[in-house]
Amino acid sequence: MKPWLQVVIPHKDIREGRIGDFAADLRSILRNEATVEYLDPETFFRRTHFTRGLENIIKDVFLTLSGREASKIIQIQTPFGGGKTHALVSLYHLIKSGERVSHMAEVKKVLKDIGLTKVPEAKVAVFVGTVPDPLKGKTPWGEIAEQLGVYEEVKEHDVKRIAPGREILEKILNANRPVLILIDELTVYTVGAKEFEDQIFVFCQELTEAIKSSKQCVLLCTLPSSAPYGERGEKVLNQLQRIFGRMQMIYTPVEGEEVYEILRKRLFEDLGDEKEREAVIGEYFDLYQKLGEEVPREAREVAYKEKMRKSYPFHPELIDVLFERWGTIPTFQRTRGVLRILAEVVSDLFSREDPAPLIQPVNINLANPRIRRLFIEHVGEVFESVIKSDIAGGDAKAVNIDRHMGSEYSKYRIASGLATCIFFYSFSGGERKGVTAQRLRLAFLRPGVPPAIIGDALRRLEDIDGPLYLHLERNLYYFSSRVGLNRLIIEREEAVREEDLEKEIRERVEKIVGGDFKVSLWPRTSADIPDDKKLKLAILSFDLMMQNPRTEEFIREALIKYSTGFRTYKNNLMFLIADLNEYDVLRAETKRFLALKAIDEDREMAKTLSEEDKERVKQRLKEVDSSSTRMRYRIISVYRYLAKASRDGFETRDMGTPTLGEKSTLTGRVKSFLMDQELLLNKLAPKVLLEKVFSKDEDRKSFSEIWEAFMKYPGLPLLEDENVLKNTIIQGVRDGVFGIAVGETVHYLENVPISVITDDTVVLRKEVAERMKKEVGVVQPAPSVSAAPPVTVVTPPVGKPSEAKPPPPGIVRRIEITAQVPWEKLSDLIKGVLAPLHREGAQVAPLEVRIEATSEKGISRNTVNITVKETLNQIGAKVVEEKIEEA
């Protein structure tokens, strides 16, 4: 298919952008002031299509003027701008310049049809009601008499504004016949001539009687189909119609599809090769057959193909909507208005070298101010803002949608094109407004454009980020100056309070937290995150997102500290962190939910919404409701970063975007990610256990000590639960990787039940297990960390030398230390001194602690009795000596 501009050639004035108003003016022709297209008869007829109505008018006039019987009083009646004056100009040129135009094909056909050999000669008198001043200018009878050269006959009547009688008029007509009288805009003149309005009616009455009784005289008068100037105009028009209606023949110069040829002849000097035109029409028709029910039925009928032939290079839909909808607006000038719009559209497309095969509604460029004004002047200035906001211009909603649809679709301007089409269908002089998705496909699609993008684009236009003044009622899309649902939603979004928004987001996060880990939601300090042996996930608030420098500070502090002390269990603590960009989307959609909820619950507002809008509110509420798959996906997308302790501090991993439709929880997703990355294990090889937990010089460790190591030390993998470690130990014992001591029994190279393994179970290196099993079959297990004795500052002798075996070289049997330790370092004493001794299997005797506290202000008796003494009692301490000095 070739683009239309490579097939047809617009007239020179269209190509050069010199576009007039297409307003035929008889008076300017009489004064030789009109443009060449109206002033020169041959140029005029080259751009004029002889419709059936125009041919009939010309035939009646020719027959009557040549002395044969035909209609003598003809009323031409069309809507405003419907071609009435153009018909009068045609007759004026035919009679005044018959010889110059008689060779033209259309004129020759008319003459042949009625059996004439040439255009009849006659005198022509013209009255145009929009020109003379009703008070100071000549009256219709004065103007007509003057042009016929007999003004003196009616001079006194003209000056006194009194209509001449029938006798005078018959005398004038018979003396000058053949006579053609052309009267245009008589209604407008009569409305202005209020002082002698009745005389105009009398004149029309007498003139029609005189014409009827005279030979070779014809009167053509134009009357609009609707009255101008309100109630008074309506009365004048009704009276004139009654007068002329008694003996007139009414003709409509333009009917039905004849307008296609009128437009083509007026706008194009060459319609190009018929084969090229047929190729385009065939492709479009085939497209409509393939689309089936997705386009209106009439577009799939054979008659529509013929309609496309007649309207080429315009799509029939473009012309039909201009005539059938815009043409019903009182201020719109039917044929003239359509010509003005289409001339500007053709000129604009020609200058931009538009590649479209046909000119469709989608090709109307509302960004062009000349085109835009031709529509705005009929619907109101408010639509300037509507077009700028929603349809055309750099920041228009539809244009922004095009930008976000991707390069493959943006070249079609799908959203802005559809918005243009919807605007085009939004107006009429009656109640008819709006357009279905079916008809939008007719207005937009062309061969080569994927039909599926229409539905996608319409959904985007309906969405909240779409046009603010777009409405959808009874499956009809239309623009209105009344704000649409999208605008109402935006206004409600702006009214959402920050505290309500934060509360709603938190509730949404809480709903999908999950139970795979122990969760701390939005902790504010390290004290909000427990320090225990459970796998923990701290879900950080949106004040601590990935791009925030304070987030790193918080995580580092939380891994080191717990409340006022130090954190013991670091390796089993993870942090879930939100992404700033994704959070902005979550925030916007949650705010949208609150706005939609407010609209849905507002009974007063419900009265102003259409049923479709109410349904759209409920549908959109479902989409952004906290329980929807979409919102679950949105929250999981927000929390995409996971931080975990490492040897050097902590490391952060990006879990990526979740799978759309994934019905996971936050903890569930973290667990899956950790297992995929082998950071969380549900099984552990026995050899790996030895490598990870035992140092080279260690030959035994208790189960509780090993389990705590996995919880404490970054660098070790996370185990799903204690059973993972127990199963590893069972496998290691069975395979001879290591042995275990349970009480006084050693297990090695054998199956042991999981119930045997407790916190006191000791894991032995294989050589130790082998030796002990051979020698005595028993081993003294290391005591549990949880059974650590009370702390003292002075350590008595460790163990009983007389009962122990000789120690191996390089080790000591007993240690005794006396030291002064600051009270605030007591926890360090336990961790750095007593615990290592305990891990070596040493029996640490009860510790003696000497506490001396002095205060100038005095110590509360309650603190001494309730806090200090009660605590000593609860931990099983034996108070050897107590001294209290009263204040």
Side-chain angles (χ1 to χ4, degrees):
M1 292 187 302
K2 282 187 177 180
W4 67 268
L5 53 77
Q6 292 181 18
V7 179
V8 302
I9 301 175
H11 283 301
K12 186 178 180 182
D13 55 345
I14 307 291
R15 299 198 303 269
E16 296 177 353
R18 295 181 293 100
I19 300 168
D21 61 4
F22 297 95
D25 183 358
L26 270 170
R27 189 70 175 180
S28 63
I29 293 172
L30 289 172
R31 294 178 177 179
N32 207 33
E33 296 172 353
T35 57
V36 65
E37 63 199 76
Y38 288 105
L39 196 58
D40 179 67
E42 292 182 74
T43 303
F44 176 82
F45 283 116
R46 276 197 297 270
R47 299 190 179 193
T48 297
H49 173 62
F50 277 38
T51 65
R52 187 179 299 104
L54 181 58
E55 278 191 4
N56 289 335
I57 293 169
I58 294 171
K59 289 176 181 178
D60 278 356
V61 172
F62 280 7
L63 288 170
T64 301
L65 293 178
S66 64
R68 292 160 61 181
E69 285 299 321
S71 299
K72 303 175 73 174
I73 302 171
I74 300 171
Q75 180 198 141
I76 303 176
Q77 189 176 59
T78 69
F80 193 32
K84 300 183 297 294
T85 304
H86 198 90
L88 297 187
V89 174
S90 298
L91 285 162
Y92 177 84
H93 280 314
L94 284 169
I95 301 303
K96 296 288 285 186
S97 307
E99 291 187 5
R100 288 185 58 188
V101 298
S102 58
H103 67 283
M104 302 186 79
E106 290 88 347
V107 179
K108 291 170 69 174
K109 179 180 180 301
V110 170
L111 291 172
K112 182 180 179 182
D113 288 347
I114 58 177
L116 295 180
T117 58
K118 66 175 184 176
V119 176
E121 296 179 357
K123 290 184 177 181
V124 181
V126 178
F127 176 78
V128 181
T130 55
V131 177
D133 183 351
L135 291 178
K136 298 179 180 179
K138 287 186 171 60
T139 61
W141 48 91
E143 188 73 45
I144 292 171
E146 183 179 57
Q147 292 182 34
L148 293 176
V150 291
Y151 180 67
E152 291 299 323
E153 296 284 345
V154 297
K155 182 177 180 180
E156 185 177 359
H157 295 82
D158 185 47
V159 173
K160 292 181 178 180
R161 299 301 197 250
I162 298 175
R166 174 179 172 182
E167 185 178 349
I168 296 174
L169 293 175
E170 286 180 347
K171 179 181 177 182
I172 293 173
L173 292 173
N174 289 323
N176 292 278
R177 64 182 187 185
V179 175
L180 172 62
I181 299 176
L182 305 174
I183 300 179
D184 197 16
E185 305 290 3
L186 183 60
T187 307
V188 175
Y189 180 83
T190 307
V191 171
K194 186 176 181 181
E195 289 76 7
F196 62 103
E197 171 188 302
D198 57 338
Q199 292 300 309
I200 298 173
F201 295 146
V202 171
F203 170 69
C204 293
Q205 177 79 30
E206 298 297 335
L207 179 61
T208 55
E209 293 289 350
I211 293 286
K212 183 180 179 182
S213 62
S214 302
K215 293 183 178 181
Q216 292 181 286
C217 294
V218 181
L219 168 63
L220 267 78
C221 180
T222 66
L223 293 177
S225 59
S226 58
Y229 309 117
E231 186 177 349
R232 173 165 165 71
E234 189 172 348
K235 289 180 180 179
V236 169
L237 178 60
N238 289 338
Q239 183 64 22
L240 289 173
Q241 287 176 337
R242 278 196 295 270
I243 294 170
F244 285 96
R246 295 177 303 107
M247 55 190 72
Q248 69 182 359
M249 175 64 74
I250 300 177
Y251 282 114
T252 301
V254 181
E255 292 183 311
E257 295 178 3
E258 290 179 329
V259 71
Y260 298 153
E261 192 59 39
I262 292 173
L263 297 174
R264 296 205 304 182
K265 202 159 188 179
R266 181 60 190 84
L267 299 175
F268 302 99
E269 64 182 44
D270 188 346
L271 291 175
D273 188 346
E274 183 180 354
K275 290 182 180 179
E276 301 287 359
R277 300 199 303 266
E278 281 296 319
V280 173
I281 293 162
E283 289 284 346
Y284 271 84
F285 191 68
D286 289 345
L287 171 64
Y288 299 150
Q289 302 307 308
K290 292 174 183 176
L291 288 173
E293 293 296 327
E294 292 185 358
V295 294
R297 179 181 297 176
E298 77 240 30
R300 292 174 275 132
E301 295 174 352
V302 176
Y304 201 76
K305 191 172 186 180
E306 182 60 29
K307 202 172 184 180
M308 285 193 287
R309 287 193 184 98
K310 292 179 179 179
S311 63
Y312 183 94
F314 299 111
H315 193 287
E317 193 72 5
L318 175 62
I319 299 173
D320 290 352
V321 174
L322 282 172
F323 269 94
E324 295 170 9
R325 297 204 186 191
W326 288 85
T328 62
I329 297 174
T331 58
F332 195 88
Q333 299 177 333
R334 274 304 254 196
T335 307
R336 188 187 310 164
V338 174
L339 275 168
R340 288 178 64 198
I341 289 174
L342 293 183
E344 290 288 358
V345 169
V346 170
S347 180
D348 174 75
L349 295 174
F350 186 86
S351 67
R352 293 190 290 113
E353 299 182 356
D354 184 82
L358 285 181
I359 303 173
Q360 297 172 259
V362 67
N363 301 116
I364 298 173
N365 180 17
L366 291 176
N368 183 323
R370 289 172 63 91
I371 295 174
R372 188 169 65 249
R373 290 306 307 170
L374 291 176
F375 290 104
I376 295 298
E377 65 186 17
H378 302 295
V379 296
E381 290 296 325
V382 66
F383 283 97
E384 275 280 7
S385 300
V386 173
I387 291 173
K388 183 178 180 181
S389 165
D390 290 352
I391 304 170
D395 295 324
K397 296 288 186 180
V399 175
N400 285 331
I401 291 174
D402 282 332
R403 292 194 186 107
H404 291 93
M405 284 192 76
S407 57
E408 184 178 351
Y409 287 165
S410 61
K411 62 184 177 182
Y412 299 121
R413 292 177 49 253
I414 175 70
S416 54
L418 284 172
T420 298
C421 294
I422 293 170
F423 177 85
F424 184 59
Y425 285 91
S426 295
F427 306 94
S428 74
E431 295 187 5
R432 188 182 182 190
K433 64 181 178 182
V435 58
T436 63
Q438 267 190 326
R439 200 157 289 276
L440 279 173
R441 292 186 181 91
L442 207 60
F444 183 93
L445 285 177
R446 68 172 186 259
V449 178
I453 63 175
I454 296 290
D456 183 29
L458 284 175
R459 284 189 292 272
R460 291 173 185 250
L461 287 171
E462 292 174 37
D463 200 10
I464 304 241
D465 296 323
L468 302 180
Y469 298 91
L470 178 64
H471 296 261
L472 175 60
E473 292 183 23
R474 300 186 301 278
N475 295 320
L476 294 173
Y477 296 89
Y478 68 94
F479 281 101
S480 168
S481 58
R482 174 174 57 89
V483 294
L485 178 59
N486 289 345
R487 181 65 187 177
L488 292 176
I489 294 171
I490 288 174
E491 290 174 354
R492 286 303 177 103
E493 283 183 358
E494 292 170 350
V496 172
R497 297 186 305 171
E498 195 64 31
E499 55 266 35
D500 294 336
L501 180 60
E502 183 174 332
K503 178 184 177 184
E504 180 66 27
I505 292 176
R506 183 184 176 99
E507 289 175 356
R508 288 171 177 237
V509 174
E510 286 175 342
K511 284 183 178 181
I512 65 164
V513 162
D516 297 271
F517 306 117
K518 186 175 183 178
V519 171
S520 298
L521 181 62
W522 293 7
R524 297 188 179 278
T525 68
S526 63
D528 295 332
I529 308 172
D531 186 23
D532 55 31
K533 298 179 185 179
K534 295 182 179 180
L535 293 176
K536 298 178 291 295
L537 181 66
I539 302 176
L540 301 188
S541 72
F542 300 115
D543 294 329
L544 298 170
M545 287 193 277
M546 189 61 195
Q547 294 84 344
N548 188 342
R550 288 179 49 240
T551 305
E552 183 176 342
E553 297 173 14
F554 180 86
I555 294 174
R556 289 190 185 282
E557 182 177 333
L559 286 171
I560 295 172
K561 295 182 179 180
Y562 169 59
S563 189
T564 58
F566 294 93
R567 185 171 295 278
T568 300
Y569 302 102
K570 299 179 181 180
N571 195 46
N572 63 350
L573 173 58
M574 298 158 287
F575 301 86
L576 197 55
I577 312 167
D579 177 77
L580 176 60
N581 295 327
E582 293 287 352
Y583 170 66
D584 288 341
V585 179
L586 171 64
R587 179 184 170 86
E589 293 200 356
T590 306
K591 183 179 283 190
R592 185 167 302 163
F593 167 79
L594 293 173
L596 288 165
K597 184 180 178 184
I599 292 172
D600 188 51
E601 295 174 352
D602 190 331
R603 293 184 178 180
E604 289 301 315
M605 181 173 288
K607 296 176 183 177
T608 67
L609 297 176
S610 67
E611 291 303 317
E612 286 83 354
D613 281 345
K614 292 176 186 176
E615 186 59 35
R616 287 167 70 194
V617 168
K618 292 187 182 298
Q619 181 59 39
R620 289 178 178 179
L621 264 174
K622 290 180 182 178
E623 292 173 0
V624 293
D625 185 75
S626 58
S627 61
S628 69
T629 302
R630 172 175 169 177
M631 289 310 298
R632 176 181 288 268
Y633 171 80
R634 187 65 64 206
I635 293 170
I636 292 176
S637 297
V638 168
Y639 281 107
R640 64 181 293 173
Y641 297 102
L642 182 67
K644 183 184 177 301
S646 66
R647 290 189 177 93
D648 301 325
F650 74 91
E651 60 182 0
T652 304
R653 297 172 184 257
D654 185 354
M655 295 188 291
T657 303
T659 303
L660 191 62
E662 180 181 327
K663 293 184 178 180
S664 181
T665 60
L666 290 172
T667 57
R669 186 174 188 234
V670 170
K671 183 177 180 180
S672 297
F673 176 78
L674 289 171
M675 297 190 81
D676 289 343
Q677 299 294 312
E678 297 185 352
L679 298 173
L680 177 65
L681 306 179
N682 56 12
K683 61 181 179 180
L684 182 69
K687 289 184 178 179
V688 175
L689 174 63
L690 287 177
E691 292 171 3
K692 294 287 186 182
V693 179
F694 283 71
S695 62
K696 291 181 179 180
D697 56 354
E698 288 182 313
D699 59 8
R700 69 189 68 194
K701 277 191 177 184
S702 69
F703 177 87
S704 62
E705 190 177 2
I706 294 172
W707 177 242
E708 286 213 356
F710 279 103
M711 299 294 103
K712 288 180 179 179
Y713 304 125
L716 291 179
L718 288 172
L719 300 184
E720 192 171 6
D721 53 37
E722 282 189 345
N723 286 337
V724 176
L725 180 57
K726 290 180 179 180
N727 287 327
T728 300
I729 292 172
I730 291 170
Q731 182 184 348
V733 172
R734 185 185 66 234
D735 297 343
V737 179
F738 46 70
I740 59 172
V742 181
E744 297 181 354
T745 305
V746 175
H747 298 280
Y748 179 66
L749 286 173
E750 60 183 278
N751 289 317
V752 293
I754 195 169
S755 59
V756 167
I757 302 172
T758 65
D759 285 352
D760 296 329
T761 299
V762 178
V763 178
L764 308 168
R765 283 192 182 273
K766 61 183 293 184
E767 52 270 21
V768 175
E770 287 174 348
R771 186 182 71 245
M772 293 179 67
K773 198 165 186 179
K774 286 178 182 178
E775 292 178 356
V776 293
V778 296
V779 63
Q780 183 65 34
S784 170
V785 173
S786 61
V791 177
T792 63
V793 175
V794 180
T795 56
V798 177
K800 297 180 179 179
S802 60
E803 297 177 2
K805 296 179 181 180
I811 64 173
V812 298
R813 183 184 298 282
R814 182 175 180 277
I815 180 171
E816 181 177 345
I817 298 173
T818 301
Q820 291 183 344
V821 181
W823 69 268
E824 67 271 16
K825 298 294 184 180
L826 192 57
S827 63
D828 294 331
L829 175 70
I830 296 171
K831 292 180 180 178
V833 178
L834 300 177
L837 292 172
H838 176 67
R839 288 195 296 270
E840 289 288 329
Q843 296 180 358
V844 181
L847 305 183
E848 293 183 1
V849 180
R850 181 176 178 274
I851 301 171
E852 182 178 341
T854 305
S855 173
E856 293 294 332
K857 296 180 179 180
I859 301 171
S860 168
R861 175 71 64 179
N862 287 338
T863 300
V864 173
N865 293 333
I866 298 175
T867 305
V868 176
K869 289 186 177 181
E870 182 62 26
T871 301
L872 289 171
N873 182 53
Q874 288 181 2
I875 65 175
K878 182 179 180 182
V879 179
V880 178
E881 182 181 5
E882 176 184 321
K883 293 180 181 180
I884 296 177
E885 184 179 328
E886 299 291 344

